[in-house]
């Protein structure tokens, strides 16, 4: 009987599958984006200039997370192709598994970017940048 894993267990497994270095860097970018976004919303009525700077930092940190995700994916693909080159034969399952792992950083970086951009859109909609 196969048991379903919990959401956080699956998320933790995917995080470690994607490579802790790149996934940790993307997570830091995500946390920074959320912090800057919350600060931007908090400061909007107190100090509009600082609020705009915070929203600008959201944009920059989310873009950095996206680029780190693509960099991790490219490095993962190069590593996978090096391993394939060293083998005489490879199964399609091994190839699919390697490709899946290499795209996890891209997925996490893209999610970081999209969530941050949604926050920026909400900010602009509410406060007419």
């Amino acid at each position: 009987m196969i048991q379903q894993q919990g959401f956080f267990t699956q998320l933790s497994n995917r995080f470690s599958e994607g490579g802790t270095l790149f996934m940790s860097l993307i997570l830091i970018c995500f946390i920074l984006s959320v912090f800057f976004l919350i600060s931007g919303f908090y400061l909007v009525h107190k100090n509009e200039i600082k609020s705009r700077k915070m929203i600008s930092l959201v944009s920059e940190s989310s873009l950095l997370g996206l680029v780190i995700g693509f960099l991790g994916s490219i490095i993962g693909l190069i590593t996978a192709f090096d391993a394939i080159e060293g083998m005489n034969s490879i199964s399609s399952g091994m190839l699919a598994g390697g490709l899946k792992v290499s795209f996890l950083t891209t997925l996490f970086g893209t999610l970081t970017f999209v969530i941050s951009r949604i926050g920026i859109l909400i900010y602009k909609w509410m406060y007419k940048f």
Side-chain angles (χ1 to χ4, degrees):
M1 181 174 223
I2 299 174
Q3 291 183 343
Q4 292 275 335
Q5 292 180 338
F7 173 75
F8 291 108
T9 305
Q10 285 184 351
L11 189 63
S12 173
N13 290 342
R14 297 294 185 211
F15 189 88
S16 56
E17 281 179 3
T20 53
L21 174 65
F22 284 103
M23 296 295 270
S24 296
L25 291 173
I26 298 167
L27 181 61
I28 290 169
C29 289
F30 178 71
I31 291 169
L32 284 173
S33 295
V34 170
F35 172 76
F36 293 142
L37 191 62
I38 291 170
S39 297
F41 277 107
Y42 178 73
L43 292 171
V44 75
H45 295 297
K46 293 182 179 188
N47 189 339
E48 190 174 332
I49 294 171
K50 281 188 179 181
S51 177
R52 288 185 180 186
K53 285 182 182 179
M54 289 295 155
I55 296 302
S56 176
L57 288 172
V58 171
S59 179
E60 297 299 323
S61 62
S62 67
L63 187 59
L64 181 62
L66 179 66
V67 171
I68 290 172
F70 280 115
L71 178 64
S73 181
I74 291 168
I75 290 173
L77 284 172
I78 290 170
T79 304
F81 288 138
D82 281 344
I84 290 169
E85 184 179 36
M87 300 177 154
N88 290 334
S89 65
I90 186 164
S91 70
S92 60
M94 287 179 71
L95 180 62
L99 291 175
K100 176 189 79 167
V101 168
S102 73
F103 284 119
L104 287 172
T105 55
T106 304
L107 174 67
F108 194 42
T110 304
L111 285 175
T112 298
F113 184 74
V114 167
I115 290 169
S116 299
R117 295 311 295 183
I118 290 171
I120 291 171
L121 286 173
I122 291 169
Y123 178 88
K124 287 182 178 182
W125 177 70
M126 289 176 70
Y127 301 111
K128 309 284 192 240
F129 212 89

